[in-house]
Structures are given as structure tokens and as C-alpha cells.
Amino acid sequence: MSNLIGLILPFITVLIFVIGMGYRFYIWTKTPQPGKMTLFPTPTPGGGTFISIIKESFFFPGLFKGDRSLWIAAWVFHASLALIILGHLRVFSGFFDRILINMGVDVDLMSSTGGGAAGILILITAIWLLLRRFALRRVREISNASDFLALLLVLAIIFTGNSMRFGEHFDLEITRNYFAHLFTFSFAEMTLPQSGIFWTHFFLVQLLIMYIPFSKILHFGGIFFTQSLIQKS
């Protein structure tokens, strides 16, 4: 099973993701622009529109005005996710560790405290977002099976990731060796991690990556098209 998940599925995942994303971006760029939909106050052309898109993408001011509790949960979730993604860079290479060590940073301490806190926060907010879909009637009515599936998949990924951090021993060097040889197609010299929870986590992550182009999770890319479309004057 580890050979399937670790040697074959990654390339299928990348292929599906690239093709799916390419198709979605093609559809977005070909979507006809309706009549001018100028919002007040209208952002200035060029730089003003770009700044407005960045603000909406990173700080969610529209959501802040509409639902403060959802804004807090969404912002904490996405901020924690960003920290976790940055933390995962050291799984693929020791390059970032060497830079931080040269700067006098205790990498292991930073990873255990920052990564651990991010893992707990993202778990709490993901559970809250799932419960919110059940608890609020207006949200439940507009939710479908794919919404719950995406949240459950994300929760499973978070749970298995936290299990490796707080539970089962995670061998960083063997995992780096695996990814280094996977990226360079050096299969003969590859050493596969001997961790069931790692393969479960990696399998779920690949499922999510393949699912992204066909789900609402793709809002991280679509928002740039939507904002520029709505605010263009």
C-alpha cells in the first residue's frame, strides 16, 4: 500500500491538480463580464484594485462586516493553515533549517511551539466550522454533501497531522530522504517511511489536492477573479 500511496499516487495527484486548475482558470478567464458593476467607493484603477483584492484576500473585510464570529474563525483557520504550510517546507528540505539555525533560531523549539499551536487552533476552528453548518439553519440549508465532505476530509488531515506531532514518533530525516528522491525520480535509492499514520496523512492530503480544483475550496484562487470582476469600473 505504501508503494501505491508513495510512488504512484503523487504523480496522479499532480496531474489531476494541474489539469483541473488549468481548466478552472480557463473557464474563469472566458467568463463574460457583465455590465459595469461599480461598487461604492470605487477603487482607483490599477493599484487601487490590486490593493483592494489583497485586503479582501488576506483580511476578509467583507466577512468582518457581515459575521464577526465567522470572520474570527475563518481568519484563525487560514492563518494557522499558512503557518502549517510554511512549517511543512522543512519536511521537504533541510535548507530552511540551515538558514534559521544560522540566524540563531532554535528550529525544533519553534516547530514544536508554533506548529503545535497552529495544529490545535486549526483543529478547533475546523470543528467549529463543521458544527456551525449543522447548528445554523440558514447555513445548513445552503450546504450540500460536498461541503461536509470537504470539511471532514480537512479534519481527518488535521487529526492525522496532529497525531504525528503529539503522538507517534515522526522521523524527519527519513521523510526528507523520501521526498528528495521522489522529486528527483531516484526510486532505487529511496527509503520509504515506516509509519502508518504518515501514509494515512499523506493519502488524505493527496485526496484533498485532487479534489481542490472541483470544489469550493478553490475560493483561494477564484477570489482574485471575482474581486477584479466586481470592482472593475
Side-chain angles (χ1 to χ4, degrees):
M1 183 62 71
S2 60
N3 287 332
L4 173 62
I5 298 173
L7 300 179
I8 300 174
L9 191 58
F11 299 102
I12 297 175
T13 299
V14 171
L15 183 64
I16 292 176
F17 179 78
V18 170
I19 293 175
M21 290 294 292
Y23 174 75
R24 290 298 294 270
F25 277 104
Y26 173 78
I27 294 298
W28 285 334
T29 56
K30 295 299 181 181
T31 300
Q33 180 178 341
K36 291 185 177 181
M37 301 170 62
T38 304
L39 300 181
F40 181 82
T42 306
T44 57
T49 300
F50 177 76
I51 292 173
S52 180
I53 295 172
I54 295 300
K55 286 173 60 179
E56 185 64 41
S57 302
F58 289 95
F59 300 105
F60 320 149
L63 182 59
F64 180 79
K65 296 175 183 177
D67 190 329
R68 297 289 176 86
S69 61
L70 179 58
W71 178 85
I72 293 173
W75 200 90
V76 171
F77 179 90
H78 286 86
S80 300
L81 178 61
L83 289 176
I84 290 170
I85 291 174
L86 287 174
H88 275 64
L89 293 178
R90 68 188 301 255
V91 176
F92 304 119
S93 171
F95 173 75
F96 302 99
D97 280 11
R98 291 191 292 271
I99 292 177
L100 293 173
I101 290 172
N102 290 334
M103 295 170 59
V105 176
D106 188 333
V107 179
D108 291 330
L109 178 62
M110 182 182 69
S111 176
S112 61
T113 54
I120 293 172
L121 287 173
I122 198 171
L123 177 62
I124 293 173
T125 51
I127 292 174
W128 186 89
L129 290 170
L130 179 62
L131 294 178
R132 179 178 178 273
R133 286 196 176 274
F134 285 107
L136 297 184
R137 181 178 178 181
R138 69 179 188 277
V139 180
R140 189 169 62 249
E141 289 176 346
I142 62 174
S143 299
N144 53 39
S146 63
D147 297 322
F148 291 102
L149 174 63
L151 271 173
L152 290 172
L153 183 56
V154 168
L155 273 169
I157 291 171
I158 295 170
F159 180 78
T160 52
N162 283 344
S163 296
M164 285 190 290
R165 177 174 295 279
F166 300 113
E168 181 178 318
H169 173 67
F170 175 69
D171 195 317
L172 181 59
E173 291 305 320
I174 290 180
T175 308
R176 280 179 179 168
N177 173 277
Y178 159 69
F179 280 113
H181 289 92
L182 180 67
F183 294 154
T184 57
F185 307 101
S186 306
F187 304 114
E189 305 171 11
M190 180 184 294
T191 300
L192 295 176
Q194 301 299 312
S195 170
I197 194 67
F198 167 79
W199 291 118
T200 302
H201 181 71
F202 191 36
F203 174 68
L204 293 172
V205 169
Q206 292 181 85
L207 287 182
L208 180 64
I209 292 173
M210 288 187 284
Y211 182 58
I212 284 175
F214 313 101
S215 70
K216 295 178 183 178
I217 300 175
L218 197 54
H219 61 262
F220 70 83
I223 190 172
F224 290 94
F225 286 87
T226 304
Q227 290 296 318
S228 59
L229 176 66
I230 293 176
Q231 296 177 351
K232 189 178 294 183
S233 59

